Amino acid sequence: MELIFATHNPNKIKEIRQLLPKHIRLISLNDINCTRSIPETADTLKGNAKLKADFITTTYNKPCFADDTGLLVNSLNGAPGVFSARYAGPKNDANANMDKLLQNLEGKKDRTACFQTVIALNIKGETIFFEGEVQGEIIKEKKGGKGFGYDPIFKPKGFNGTFAELPLETKNKIGHRGKAFSKLIDYLGRVTPQEKKES
Ligand code: IMP
């Protein structure tokens, strides 16, 4: 079965391609020469994941999934949330985003936060959602050189280092996206061969 992952991010494709059951052939947006920018105008992660998946399914008429992730900070009423990528402006500049967040948290006692990922899978005429979450806190200065986005300031609960200090395998195991992906992979692995042909 061919399954489109609605992303241009080669790291995400590589990560999940290794984990998928062999009967599923994962196709990226680059593979199908899709350079169009996909709308992300919903006000929830779930809404955006569905918008992206629906856009691809409607355009290419194939099974497809899309993910959307946000960092939700409790004392900021869940910000940056759905706006995580463009918190400090349209460029998705990770350093500027972190600086803005650190500034907005100055003087706040509660620095607890969580990452949430939602995946929307369009298959057999319906949409199925898979979610993953990791709790933690925003530390006061950036630490570590691994990862991307807000990793240098996010310390997962129960660990001494930030996501940017922990090995990638650890992040994938305890992290938001890893948890959501493993639920998706479990589901795809349970789909019977007959159902696969029908999809
Ligand atoms: P996306 O929906 O996966 O593109 O994520 C939106 C934004 O959330 C990214 O541009 C990053 O700023 C942030 N983000 C998503 N996943 C992570 C992560 O694993 N670590 C740090 N930041 C992340």
Side-chain angles (χ1 to χ4, degrees):
M1 182 185 81
E2 289 192 340
L3 182 63
I4 300 177
F5 184 4
T7 183
H8 291 288
N9 184 333
N11 294 319
K12 286 187 186 176
I13 292 281
K14 197 172 152 196
E15 195 178 294
I16 193 163
R17 201 168 254 158
Q18 288 173 347
L19 304 170
L20 279 172
K22 295 218 164 21
H23 62 262
I24 291 171
R25 201 166 83 79
L26 194 70
I27 302 171
S28 75
L29 294 185
N30 295 334
D31 294 332
I32 53 173
N33 295 320
C34 173
T35 51
R36 292 163 74 175
S37 82
I38 305 175
E40 283 191 57
T41 48
D43 55 7
T44 60
L45 299 174
K46 200 171 178 175
N48 270 338
K50 183 158 167 49
L51 266 184
K52 288 190 266 186
D54 285 353
F55 178 87
I56 295 299
T57 302
T58 310
T59 312
Y60 297 95
N61 193 26
K62 277 193 194 293
C64 163
F65 69 92
D67 70 330
D68 204 42
T69 293
L71 174 64
L72 287 77
V73 179
N74 290 320
S75 62
L76 301 177
N77 300 318
V82 78
F83 302 110
S84 294
R86 283 149 287 152
Y87 192 41
K91 278 203 217 147
N92 191 2
D93 178 337
N95 266 313
N97 286 339
M98 285 190 284
D99 290 342
K100 179 170 176 182
L101 184 56
L102 291 175
Q103 214 170 9
N104 287 345
L105 277 175
E106 262 172 34
K108 303 262 189 211
K109 271 199 178 141
D110 179 4
R111 301 181 71 95
T112 57
C114 70
F115 273 114
Q116 289 180 353
T117 293
V118 180
I119 295 172
L121 170 70
N122 280 348
I123 195 164
K124 295 183 278 174
E126 60 175 335
T127 305
I128 303 163
F129 295 98
F130 305 91
E131 300 184 12
E133 184 180 283
V134 58
Q135 297 287 338
E137 65 178 289
I138 305 300
I139 60 164
K140 292 192 172 163
E141 58 196 37
K142 300 166 195 166
K143 282 190 185 164
K146 300 190 180 81
F148 69 99
Y150 297 88
D151 280 348
I153 56 171
F154 183 85
K155 188 168 82 62
K157 199 172 173 180
F159 289 80
N160 284 326
T162 66
F163 265 163
E165 293 177 302
L166 294 170
L168 182 60
E169 298 77 50
T170 308
K171 183 186 170 190
N172 285 343
K173 200 166 162 194
I174 63 159
H176 44 298
R177 198 167 20 259
K179 286 179 187 166
F181 272 156
S182 63
K183 289 178 190 170
L184 168 74
I185 288 159
D186 276 1
Y187 174 83
L188 291 169
R190 283 200 309 271
V191 177
T192 69
Q194 189 51 43
E195 283 174 312
K196 273 176 268 153
K197 275 179 202 137
E198 286 167 5
S199 58

